[in-house]
Amino acid sequence: DQQVKQNSPSLSVQEGRISILNCDYTNSMFDYFLWYKKYPAEGPTFLISISSIKDKNEDGRFTVFLNKSAKHLSLHIVPSQPGDSAVYFCAASAYFGNEKLTFGTGTRLTIIP
Amino acid sequence: GAVVSQHPSWVICKSGTSVKIECRSLDFQATTMFWYRQFPKQSLMLMATSNEGSKATYEQGVEKDKFLINHASLTLSTLTVTSAHPEDSSFYICSARMDPASNQPQHFGDGTRLSIL
């Protein structure tokens, strides 16, 4: 039972344009969401997070949007850069203090120069 | 920033061998560390939560006698895959978290690719 889903296994975006990665979840107990970036043969690197009391969080080129009623979140990267090419995972937990993360299956983002 | 070191990065060994993987938090104390497993093109699946000085908590379906976890200090947790078989071949990743009061997310090691022949 995949509680966190990333339905697009891959995405290609032109350099300079906006990249939008999507994530859906089914467990209504999830209250805190994170995005991680992963290069091959490396561990995930934390990018940005959001708690359910917010609907948007921004950090530089990265913005995460949360639509709690739709159980949907998205990561926007603008402008996209070649170094952004990686696999992106969304993850969720029941609350910030709950350390158990449930990960999505990942989306491979390729930025085309 | 917080750094988590995992060693070794790649292991190839014969079936029946036991393999130990180390996870260290280099610049912070981690009361809790986590062990994940990732199969090709799949998600990271939490295997167990490791608490310093106490027994690990395993997720449903994970054999605790197969995957031995020790968290002897605030900076080191080890995962031992006992009597490894080809089906144990996978990418194992650890993560560590500072004191929850620090408001920091989990930081991951670079993973260990385990190949059992």
Side-chain angles (χ1 to χ4, degrees), chain B residues 34-80:
Chain B
F34 308 88
W35 289 95
Y36 294 83
R37 182 175 183 176
Q38 184 186 24
F39 290 106
K41 298 185 180 180
Q42 292 190 26
S43 180
L44 282 75
M45 300 297 294
L46 179 65
M47 298 174 65
T49 302
S50 169
N51 294 297
E52 186 265 337
S54 63
K55 290 184 178 180
T57 303
Y58 290 82
E59 295 300 300
Q60 191 173 9
V62 178
E63 300 176 60
K64 59 183 178 182
D65 295 330
K66 173 76 169 177
F67 300 99
L68 300 179
I69 292 173
N70 183 277
H71 193 159
S73 76
L74 286 171
T75 59
L76 174 65
S77 176
T78 61
L79 167 68
T80 301

Side-chain angles (χ1 to χ4, degrees), chain A residues 23-113:
Chain A
C23 179
D24 297 291
Y25 62 96
T26 56
N27 189 340
S28 58
M29 296 300 294
F30 287 146
D31 213 22
Y32 183 68
F33 306 89
L34 308 89
W35 283 95
Y36 283 87
K37 174 181 180 180
K38 186 179 181 300
Y39 293 114
E42 292 185 13
T45 302
F46 170 75
L47 279 176
I48 192 168
S49 63
I50 189 168
S51 72
S52 62
I53 62 173
K54 294 185 174 182
D55 55 15
K56 177 182 174 182
N57 189 26
E58 192 171 354
D59 184 2
R61 297 187 298 116
F62 302 93
T63 303
V64 55
F65 295 91
L66 175 63
N67 183 333
K68 202 173 178 184
S69 61
K71 295 189 176 67
H72 176 85
L73 63 153
S74 61
L75 174 68
H76 293 211
I77 306 172
V78 58
S80 299
Q81 299 173 354
D84 295 330
S85 295
V87 177
Y88 289 78
F89 289 94
C90 67
S93 70
Y95 54 91
F96 180 75
N98 183 333
E99 300 146 324
K100 291 174 62 171
L101 295 180
T102 300
F103 280 84
T105 49
T107 297
R108 180 176 299 280
L109 175 65
T110 302
I111 305 303
I112 305 166

Side-chain angles (χ1 to χ4, degrees), chain B residues 8 13 37 39 56 60 76 79 84-85 92 98 111-112 115 117:
Chain B
C13 58
R37 182 175 183 176
F39 290 106
Q60 191 173 9
L76 174 65
L79 167 68
H85 292 287
Y92 293 86
M98 298 178 184
T112 297
S115 297
L117 305 178

